[in-house]
């Protein structure tokens, strides 16, 4: 299995890289501006088994456009995708969800799992690190809500019948439970 890790200039990208190395997972990390120069995202994504979209620190229309194209390509190619924080937001926005500004979250949060999910198999609740001031306010009918917290109703979600997952939190900063999520995602087919 080979993963495309898209760096949207997240302050936590090194944490994701470290975990992938710990798992001995084959991956390539591209800054999103490198992907912007690629003509055909479909051809490029054929080289990977799955995709992880990192978080980001500041808003950029170019970053949004690149990540939205990657989301659409994963949908077409039926590639598993995990969007972390911003990555989850752009997954949702690309496919009809809405976003809202919230009070800044920068803390470990309790997330109740509403539906069983293969990326957190065996868990009923988890504690994950959140660092954001936006969250998806509504999920489109194409999505299933998997987990919720006091600060954000839509903490964890997936596309119905497709392996496209979004988190509002940062599993890469969340200890064992976050590592379990990443490990399980990387094993999806």
């Amino acid at each position: 299995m080979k993963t495309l890790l898209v760096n949207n200039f997240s302050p936590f990208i090194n944490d994701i890289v470290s975990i992938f190395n710990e798992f001995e997972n084959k991956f390539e990390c591209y800054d999103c501006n490198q992907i912007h120069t690629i003509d055909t995202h479909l051809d490029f994504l054929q080289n990977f088994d799955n995709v992880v979209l990192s978080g980001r620190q500041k808003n950029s229309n170019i970053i949004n456009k690149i990540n939205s194209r990657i989301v659409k390509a994963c949908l077409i190619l039926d590639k598993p995708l995990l969007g972390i924080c911003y990555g989850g937001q752009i997954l949702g926005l690309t496919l009809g969800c809405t976003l809202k500004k919230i009070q800044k979250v920068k803390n470990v949060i309790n997330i109740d799992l509403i539906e069983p999910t293969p990326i957190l198999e065996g868990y009923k609740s988890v504690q994950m690190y959140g660092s954001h001031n936006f969250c998806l306010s509504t999920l489109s009918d194409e999505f299933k809500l998997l987990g919720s917290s006091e600060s954000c109703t839509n903490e964890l979600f997936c596309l119905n019948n497709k392996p496209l997952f979004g988190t509002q939190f940062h599993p890469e900063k969340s200890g064992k439970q976050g590592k379990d999520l990443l490990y399980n995602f990387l094993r999806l087919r």
Side-chain angles (χ1 to χ4, degrees), residues 10-13 15-16 19 53-57 82-89 104-109 111 127-133 155 167-175 177-179 181-182:
S10 168
F12 308 135
I13 194 68
D15 297 285
I16 301 171
I19 291 169
L53 304 177
S54 80
R56 70 168 184 196
Q57 285 188 300
L82 175 63
I84 297 173
C85 196
Y86 160 76
Q89 293 169 3
K104 177 78 173 163
V105 172
K106 197 168 189 168
N107 204 344
V108 174
I109 50 177
I111 300 166
Q127 291 190 319
M128 299 284 184
Y129 180 75
S131 178
H132 52 270
N133 36 336
E155 283 286 354
T167 73
Q168 188 55 68
F169 52 85
H170 290 273
E172 72 276 22
K173 298 295 286 181
S174 300
Q177 293 176 335
K179 284 182 179 181
L181 183 151
L182 291 168

Side-chain angles (χ1 to χ4, degrees), residues 16-143:
I16 301 171
V17 167
S18 176
I19 291 169
F20 283 7
N21 284 328
E22 180 182 324
F23 291 160
E24 297 181 359
N25 186 75
K26 292 180 185 173
F27 70 96
E28 292 181 19
C29 184
Y30 285 82
D31 290 347
C32 62
N33 58 3
Q34 290 174 287
I35 295 172
H36 182 63
T37 63
I38 296 169
D39 290 332
T40 58
H41 291 84
L42 290 174
D43 291 341
F44 177 66
L45 285 176
Q46 293 285 6
N47 300 314
F48 300 95
D49 298 298
N50 52 39
V51 176
V52 174
L53 304 177
S54 80
R56 70 168 184 196
Q57 285 188 300
K58 62 181 184 174
N59 192 16
S60 162
N61 288 335
I62 292 173
I63 291 175
N64 292 346
K65 186 176 180 181
I66 294 163
N67 282 273
S68 187
R69 284 183 183 165
I70 293 169
V71 166
K72 291 174 185 173
C74 285
L75 192 58
I76 291 166
L77 297 171
D78 207 24
K79 301 264 184 196
L81 178 137
L82 175 63
I84 297 173
C85 196
Y86 160 76
Q89 293 169 3
I90 198 67
L91 165 64
L93 289 171
T94 300
L95 300 175
C97 301
T98 59
L99 191 69
K100 69 177 178 180
K101 189 164 179 60
I102 61 171
Q103 186 174 358
K104 177 78 173 163
V105 172
K106 197 168 189 168
N107 204 344
V108 174
I109 50 177
N110 294 314
I111 300 166
D112 293 318
L113 299 179
I114 296 161
E115 292 273 337
T117 174
I119 62 172
L120 281 170
E121 195 167 345
Y123 286 102
K124 294 187 191 271
S125 66
V126 291
Q127 291 190 319
M128 299 284 184
Y129 180 75
S131 178
H132 52 270
N133 36 336
F134 287 91
C135 74
L136 290 180
S137 54
T138 57
L139 296 177
S140 72
D141 291 340
E142 295 184 57
F143 285 91

Side-chain angles (χ1 to χ4, degrees), residues 149-168:
S149 75
E150 286 185 20
S151 62
C152 181
T153 303
N154 303 305
E155 283 286 354
L156 177 63
F157 50 92
C158 70
L159 196 64
N160 291 323
N161 306 314
K162 293 281 186 180
L164 280 72
F165 294 86
T167 73
Q168 188 55 68

